[in-house]
Amino acid sequence: MPWVKKWGRSTKRFAEQVNRLTAITTNQETGWFLDLDDEAVYRIDREMLEEKFNQRLVPPPAAINISVDEVSYKKYHRYLTNVVDVDEKAIIWNERGRKTEILDRYYEGIGKAACERIESVALDGARTFIASTNKYAVNAMIVYDRFHIAQKLNWAVDMTRKQELRKARKEGNDELIDLINCRQRFILLKNKSNLTEKQTDYLQKLCEINEPIYKAMLLKESFLKVYDYQTPEEAQGYLEGWIKDALSSAVETFRTIALSFRDKLQYIINWFRKKISSAISEGINNKTKRLKRMAYGYKDVEYFRLKIHQHCGLLNPRRYPQ
């Protein structure tokens, strides 16, 4: 019978209805609406997703411009590596882990010819992803995107704040403790142009009484000025000067960042040649985290991978109807 699979417990139309509902709401709500228990919804939905996955995502789809990033799916450093088609704005591949050999599987899956057609790869500067991309996508331009660089700079500022907070507590400096406690840290991470008048006054007062944080803020703001330049040559000259200033500063976190940026200078400069970003990947990561929270976590990681494709990729029935 064409309307039911062999040994199936439900018709194809009903299974499709369950799958469409789970794409817009939780499995629990789908079960309530259709009067099914959670186990039945899980079984039907997983079977449908596996069938569609084998039809559309085996072998993995190739793309011209991709973004690579990882997202945590479980505590204790359990990660998924995601590959996103930047032009399509959809996830096209994912796998557990974030080592070099994990991304190798994607490149090997699409084949040598498809790898050579890749024009650009946006990533977060991870050496594992860079090594894999250099090995397979030989014609691709690797771009250390602006979003992750801003994250690194904010990390350096926040680490400086934590170091100074520990010193202030040892010395009993209550005024400084009030200025740099956890409640105030978001002011340090905001762009100057987005600060209110009250927040600007707070920063000015902080800089007057604490030199390391003042230097860290200056280094962060001065780095971001590189994006005002239009040509790669101008940007490279400015960045080389910034790296020298950061290495000669007494701010240890920025010295660490400067060494990392010096090693990956060419990838930073590539942003001015191809303004591709992995911000799309970060948006998908946020959707993935929201999906995990809605389900209160997933015991079945393979099912979680399929759900990511359903909500953020080529298995989404809204964007890609069968």
Side-chain angles (χ1 to χ4, degrees):
M1 293 177 287
W3 44 271
V4 66
K5 290 194 297 185
K6 189 176 182 180
W7 315 118
R9 299 184 185 181
S10 60
T11 64
K12 290 183 178 179
R13 179 178 289 184
F14 184 75
E16 182 64 35
Q17 179 73 355
V18 171
N19 180 251
R20 287 172 64 85
L21 282 171
T22 59
I24 60 173
T25 187
T26 64
N27 286 17
Q28 188 178 29
E29 294 295 325
T30 299
W32 172 82
F33 184 76
L34 297 174
D35 197 21
L36 296 172
D37 60 55
D38 292 346
E39 182 63 27
V41 174
Y42 160 76
R43 175 176 46 79
I44 294 170
D45 189 40
R46 173 159 183 161
E47 286 177 1
M48 285 295 298
L49 288 174
E50 284 177 341
E51 183 180 334
K52 292 181 178 182
F53 182 90
N54 291 328
Q55 290 173 355
R56 301 182 187 181
L57 298 172
V58 178
I64 302 299
N65 302 294
I66 64 174
S67 171
V68 183
D69 203 1
E70 78 272 354
V71 62
S72 172
Y73 70 87
K74 195 176 180 180
K75 292 191 295 184
Y76 310 116
H77 303 287
R78 299 293 189 270
Y79 293 95
L80 289 173
T81 294
N82 292 328
V83 176
V84 175
D85 184 336
V86 174
D87 301 315
E88 195 68 23
K89 295 182 175 60
I91 187 168
I92 55 177
W93 184 87
N94 60 11
E95 184 60 84
R96 278 189 285 180
R98 55 175 180 174
K99 295 182 179 179
T100 303
E101 55 266 26
I102 300 300
L103 186 56
D104 287 352
R105 294 176 193 170
Y106 170 72
Y107 290 129
E108 290 167 0
I110 64 176
K112 183 178 178 181
C115 286
E116 291 175 350
R117 287 195 294 270
I118 297 176
E119 294 180 0
S120 61
V121 180
L123 38 75
D124 62 357
R127 295 182 184 277
T128 53
F129 295 156
I130 291 173
S132 180
T133 301
N134 280 328
K135 181 180 177 182
Y136 289 94
V138 292
N139 298 321
M141 181 183 295
I142 298 175
V143 179
Y144 193 166
D145 77 295
R146 182 174 176 174
F147 178 86
H148 282 100
I149 287 176
Q151 275 190 333
K152 294 276 188 183
L153 294 170
N154 283 335
W155 170 86
V157 171
D158 197 42
M159 287 300 294
T160 304
R161 178 194 66 82
K162 289 179 180 178
Q163 291 171 2
E164 293 304 306
L165 181 59
R166 284 194 291 268
K167 289 181 184 177
R169 284 172 175 164
K170 285 182 180 179
E171 297 169 359
N173 189 338
D174 293 334
E175 182 183 10
L176 185 57
I177 291 171
D178 289 339
L179 286 173
I180 61 175
N181 60 42
C182 292
R183 294 191 300 273
Q184 309 290 354
R185 69 187 182 93
F186 294 106
I187 300 176
L188 295 176
L189 306 183
K190 289 180 71 174
N191 288 333
K192 273 190 175 180
S193 57
N194 297 330
L195 292 173
T196 63
E197 185 176 347
K198 184 178 179 181
Q199 290 171 340
T200 302
D201 293 340
Y202 155 82
L203 272 184
Q204 185 175 355
K205 183 179 179 182
L206 175 60
C207 292
E208 288 173 357
I209 65 173
N210 189 273
E211 186 177 356
I213 292 180
Y214 174 65
K215 287 182 177 179
M217 291 293 296
L218 282 181
L219 286 167
K220 172 192 168 183
E221 294 296 330
S222 62
F223 183 96
L224 294 175
K225 288 180 181 178
V226 71
Y227 294 109
D228 295 336
Y229 290 96
Q230 301 299 317
T231 66
E233 294 76 19
E234 291 175 335
Q236 183 166 344
Y238 181 86
L239 273 180
E240 288 172 351
W242 184 90
I243 290 170
K244 288 180 181 177
D245 292 341
L247 288 174
S248 61
S249 73
V251 186
E252 190 60 36
T253 52
F254 272 91
R255 292 175 66 182
T256 303
I257 290 286
L259 289 171
S260 174
F261 286 172
R262 187 175 64 183
D263 294 340
K264 299 165 185 172
L265 180 62
Q266 190 57 51
Y267 305 136
I268 299 173
I269 297 302
N270 281 344
W271 185 86
F272 295 88
R273 298 186 174 96
K274 180 86 173 181
K275 295 186 178 180
I276 184 175
S277 172
S278 63
I280 296 168
S281 292
E282 288 300 319
I284 287 176
N285 287 351
N286 288 335
K287 286 185 178 179
T288 299
K289 292 170 185 175
R290 174 176 162 271
L291 179 64
K292 185 172 65 174
R293 287 195 300 270
M294 286 171 61
Y296 298 98
Y298 285 82
K299 292 181 180 179
D300 186 345
V301 179
E302 296 307 312
Y303 181 51
F304 183 44
R305 288 177 56 208
L306 291 169
K307 295 297 286 183
I308 293 172
H309 285 288
Q310 182 189 38
H311 285 259
C312 311
L314 303 183
L315 303 187
N316 189 325
R318 284 182 169 183
R319 294 184 59 187
Y320 307 97
Q322 196 170 12

